[in-house]
Structures are given as C-alpha cells and as structure tokens.
Amino acid sequence: MNDWPDRRTGDRSERYGRGSASPQPESARAMPHIQRRPSQPRTPQRPQVPPQSQGYDDRYQDGGYGNSPEPGYDSGYNTGQVYGSGSGGSDGRGGGGRRGGGDGGYVQGRPAPDWRRRIKLGALTLVVVVLAVSISTYFWADSKLKREVDLAKVIDRPESGDGTNYLIVGSDSREGMSDEEKKRLRTGSAEGKRTDSMMILHDGSSGPTLISLPRDSNVEIPTFKGSESGKTFQGTGRQVKLNAAYAEDGPELLVRTVEFNTGLHIDHYVEIGFGGFAKIVDAIGGVEMDIPKAFKDKKSGADFQAGKQTLNGEQSLAFVRTRYAFEGSDLDRTKNQQKFLAALASQTATPSTIINPFKLYPTMGAGLDTLIVDKDMSLWALGNMFFAMKGVTGGEGTSMNMPISGSTGGNLVWDKAKVKQLVEQLNNDEKVTVKGN
C-alpha cells in the first residue's frame, strides 16, 4: 500500500535536505519520483504554491525538523532555496538589498535625491563664484588706473554744487605707440601732448549734460601753482586758447583755467590718448555710427560715405579728429566728438559686453592702460561717468557746445550771460534750458 501523499513512491529513508541522515551532499539531492496513474482526461489544476513568506507547504510545517505530527517527514520544499532567499537571505550585497517577506517583498536602495538641497547648494556656489570673480576683477581694474592728476594742487577753487562734474580730455599723446601705429593712425610724431578735445560731463538727478569746450575757446590764464615746481604764478589777464593752458602746465592748470572761466567746480579729471582710444573701439568690435553727410579729410585720414556704418579704431580716430572738412571747423568737430563718445559709451555699457569676459577684459584693459585720472577717482565714479554718457544718447540727457557770442582773431568768445545761467542750472542740478552752438 502506498502511504505517500500525492501518489509519491519510494523509500522514506531516502531523504535529503535539512535533517537528512544521508551522507550525500545537499547538491546531489534529487527530486522525489512521482508515480503517475494511467493517462486519462482530466481538468488541469494549478498546483498550489506555498506562500512565499514560509517557503514550504503549511500542511506539513516543520517536516523533518522534529516538530511535525509525523516526525522526519520531508515536504519536498527547501526553505530559502526554491522561493527566494527567505527571511535571513542576502542579495550578495551585505544584507542591505532585496528581501522576501509576507508583504510581497521590498527593495531597500539609495534614498531619493534631495533636489531642494542640491539647488540651494548650487545657488550658493554660484553666488560665491560670482563674488570672487567680481572682487578679483575690481582689484585688477583698480590697479590699472593711472591716478596721476592731483587736484589738490589747484588753488582758489569754486564751491561744489549738486551732482558730479567730470572734465573729459582727449589728448594727442603718442605715448606707447609704435612708429607703424603713428603712421597708420596719422597722428604724426610731435613730442609732448596737447588737448584735442575737452568736455564737461555733469551727472545729476535731472539727467546727464555733456558740454563741449572748443579748444580754440578764448580764456584767461589765472593765478596758479605750478604742478611740478609748486611755485605760484600770478595771473596777468593773459588771453589764450583753452588748449594752451594744458600745453603750458598740464591737467592741473587746465582744471584751474576751466574753473576760473566758468565758476563750475570740477570733481574728477579723465584723460585718454590716441592709442587707447583706438584700442577701446577695436576691443568692442567697432562702433556703429549714422553719418548724415559724406566727408573727406587728408590730414586726419577721414573718408566716409553717408549712412549707417561700423567704424574700427583707425576710422573712429579719424572721425573725431576731422575739423577742416567742416564749415564750422572746431564747433562741428566737437559735435561729432560728442556724438561718437556717447555712441561708444552706449555700445560698451551693455550686457553683451559686461557679462562676456572675452569682450569685457580686453575692453577694460585697453581703456585702463591709457586712461589717466585724478587721485580721488574710484572705479565706481568712473563707471558712473560711462553710464551717464550712455544716458546722453538714450534721451535722458542733453548735449551741447559752450554758448559762443562771437570770435576774435580766430579765438571763440563765450557768451558770458549764457555761461553764467548754464553754470547756475548745473550747480542746482536743474534741467538745462540754455542752448549752445
């Protein structure tokens, strides 16, 4: 009689697995032989699979382990080998991997990334980098400024008004230029330096005002203290062209002369030479200008057609130096200088230049290498000057020539009444209503 469940046959002494007394190793255990009855049609039934949480048939709990109703009975299922690794199994990664369980199992992996924390760390890193670059750029640029003009040497100065007044000077200095550059830029090889253009830029709450001072302006040289000797030279009422003051004793006497003849206090002095001017233009990729009428000048090398065009450094220098091609000579030249400088500032102080290091550093380097300023000039004040000049072309300010009443022997005479009114409006930081030439 076959007393094995499910028609199993065989010697019950041939048991393997846990609790087996057989000397055969576990790996050699064979599945019990199943004796099949003669084939007859029947409805297939799904075999009952033991619960995954136990790994063996509940009907025969602990078979072969001494606690079964039938001691030594083997159910045919091997705990932890047929259905997963069991409650004490491992996935081969140190017990922290996949586990079976009565709840169907779970996977214990890395925790989900904390994106909020990552974003905060990224933002903090970006801020630190930007601050570091900004601070290093500031000290780099500050070290390049040539603070050579000492306004403390200027005597008998007028009272300061509201706003800030810059005296901007374009000199014909050839310092640092090679013979090839002098020839290409048509600057000549004259020794020393003279002023080629002079402007007062007022930056205040009523908007910026840019006033050109023709270099042929008739002015009086006042009492002054020599910038090098420290000796006081008494004024004799001597009348000269404005650019002669610069040629006689440099920037300090020029500032003294402008203050004496206008009554306007100059807060800062800025000067740039021919070479630096051309390099700045080339560094930003040229300056776009709209030239209303074609003109040509052999002395400056100017040869321009009418219409919009982009000027390189050489062309820009020729544009701002040309005077003999115009009927108004120096007055027409100062208007072109204002127009060009405002366009230069407008196209330089843009996000495309400021945030692009491949344009920003060459532009700053070209300008700062040749820029001469007063000892109290800061980078902040210099930046404000450029943005004020940009505002002149943006419709926020006014550009004009110093009011002229006539001329005497080739010197341009200022209209004293209008000059006085203009200075009062600037000192009070009022909107300028005075019209220039």
Side-chain angles (χ1 to χ4, degrees):
M1 178 177 178
N2 185 0
D3 57 355
W4 284 74
D6 298 327
R7 303 182 303 280
R8 292 192 179 102
T9 62
D11 187 356
R12 282 190 292 178
S13 65
E14 296 178 359
R15 299 190 304 272
Y16 304 99
R18 294 185 182 180
S20 173
S22 170
Q24 295 188 30
E26 179 72 14
S27 59
R29 181 170 76 91
M31 293 297 292
H33 176 69
I34 306 297
Q35 181 179 8
R36 299 183 180 275
R37 294 177 181 175
S39 176
Q40 57 182 341
R42 70 171 189 168
T43 303
Q45 295 182 358
R46 175 180 293 182
Q48 293 184 347
V49 179
Q52 201 169 8
S53 60
Q54 298 295 331
Y56 52 86
D57 196 330
D58 287 342
R59 294 176 298 170
Y60 308 103
Q61 279 189 333
D62 299 320
Y65 292 92
N67 295 324
S68 173
E70 293 184 28
Y73 182 81
D74 188 352
S75 66
Y77 296 100
N78 191 316
T79 303
Q81 294 184 14
V82 178
Y83 299 102
S85 60
S87 60
S90 171
D91 62 354
R93 292 178 294 179
R98 194 175 190 91
R99 297 175 181 268
D103 59 354
Y106 65 93
V107 176
Q108 182 181 352
R110 290 182 299 177
D114 188 347
W115 289 110
R116 295 180 64 181
R117 182 171 179 272
R118 291 188 179 185
I119 292 173
K120 288 180 180 179
L121 288 175
L124 180 60
T125 302
L126 179 61
V127 169
V128 171
V129 170
V130 170
L131 284 176
V133 172
S134 300
I135 292 173
S136 60
T137 299
Y138 178 89
F139 284 105
W140 168 78
D142 187 73
S143 66
K144 282 184 166 291
L145 277 180
K146 297 179 179 179
R147 297 182 174 92
E148 300 177 359
V149 179
D150 189 359
L151 296 183
K153 295 179 180 180
V154 180
I155 62 174
D156 300 330
R157 308 191 68 187
E159 294 292 330
S160 298
D162 295 331
T164 304
N165 299 314
Y166 301 85
L167 180 59
I168 303 172
V169 175
S171 75
D172 63 0
S173 172
R174 286 94 172 158
E175 183 178 354
M177 296 176 63
S178 64
D179 291 339
E180 182 181 348
E181 288 176 324
K182 292 176 183 178
K183 182 178 180 181
R184 178 173 59 85
L185 299 176
R186 297 174 180 263
T187 63
S189 299
E191 295 298 326
K193 58 181 181 179
R194 287 154 293 278
T195 54
D196 203 60
S197 61
M198 291 162 283
M199 301 179 187
I200 294 175
L201 175 64
H202 174 82
D203 183 21
S205 58
S206 296
T209 301
L210 186 62
I211 307 164
S212 287
L213 309 176
R215 72 175 191 173
D216 292 340
S217 296
N218 190 78
V219 296
E220 179 184 340
I221 297 293
T223 298
F224 69 96
K225 182 182 291 187
S227 59
E228 296 295 333
S229 65
K231 181 181 177 180
T232 299
F233 298 87
Q234 294 295 327
T236 60
R238 180 164 49 107
Q239 304 289 313
V240 297
K241 291 182 179 182
L242 181 59
N243 64 342
Y246 182 93
E248 187 173 330
D249 198 50
E252 288 85 0
L253 180 55
L254 177 61
V255 171
R256 169 71 175 129
T257 303
V258 169
E259 289 187 340
F260 177 81
N261 286 269
T262 62
L264 188 67
H265 181 90
I266 300 299
D267 297 291
H268 291 294
Y269 177 90
V270 181
E271 176 186 327
I272 189 168
F274 283 161
F277 181 83
K279 288 178 181 177
I280 291 176
V281 175
D282 287 334
I284 66 171
V287 175
E288 185 180 57
M289 294 292 297
D290 188 1
I291 300 176
K293 186 178 179 180
F295 64 90
K296 189 174 183 177
D297 180 26
K298 290 184 179 180
K299 290 191 175 183
S300 67
D303 187 4
F304 298 103
Q305 300 299 317
K308 287 187 177 181
Q309 50 204 287
T310 299
L311 310 185
N312 60 25
E314 180 181 350
Q315 293 170 323
S316 299
L317 191 57
F319 181 82
V320 299
R321 294 182 63 211
T322 299
R323 62 183 300 194
Y324 296 105
F326 306 126
E327 183 180 352
S329 187
D330 200 32
L331 290 177
D332 285 343
R333 178 172 70 164
T334 56
K335 292 177 182 178
N336 279 344
Q337 290 172 346
Q338 287 181 350
K339 184 177 180 180
F340 182 86
L341 290 178
L344 174 63
S346 179
Q347 295 173 41
T348 302
T350 61
S352 63
T353 298
I354 295 174
I355 66 176
N356 184 354
F358 298 102
K359 291 184 67 175
L360 175 63
Y361 288 100
T363 301
M364 292 180 65
L368 296 174
D369 281 341
T370 57
L371 209 62
I372 297 175
V373 299
D374 63 273
K375 293 184 179 295
D376 295 327
M377 175 70 82
S378 66
L379 282 177
W380 180 263
L382 189 62
N384 285 340
M385 185 195 78
F386 277 104
F387 279 100
M389 290 189 66
K390 180 180 179 180
V392 172
T393 56
E396 303 170 6
T398 302
S399 61
M400 57 184 291
N401 276 325
M402 186 64 80
I404 303 296
S405 61
S407 63
T408 172
N411 292 4
L412 298 173
V413 179
W414 293 352
D415 188 324
K416 293 184 178 180
K418 287 187 176 180
V419 170
K420 182 179 179 180
Q421 183 183 1
L422 172 63
V423 170
E424 287 179 352
Q425 291 178 342
L426 295 177
N427 279 333
N428 296 327
D429 208 8
E430 301 172 350
K431 184 175 179 61
V432 173
T433 60
V434 177
K435 302 298 181 182
N437 296 78

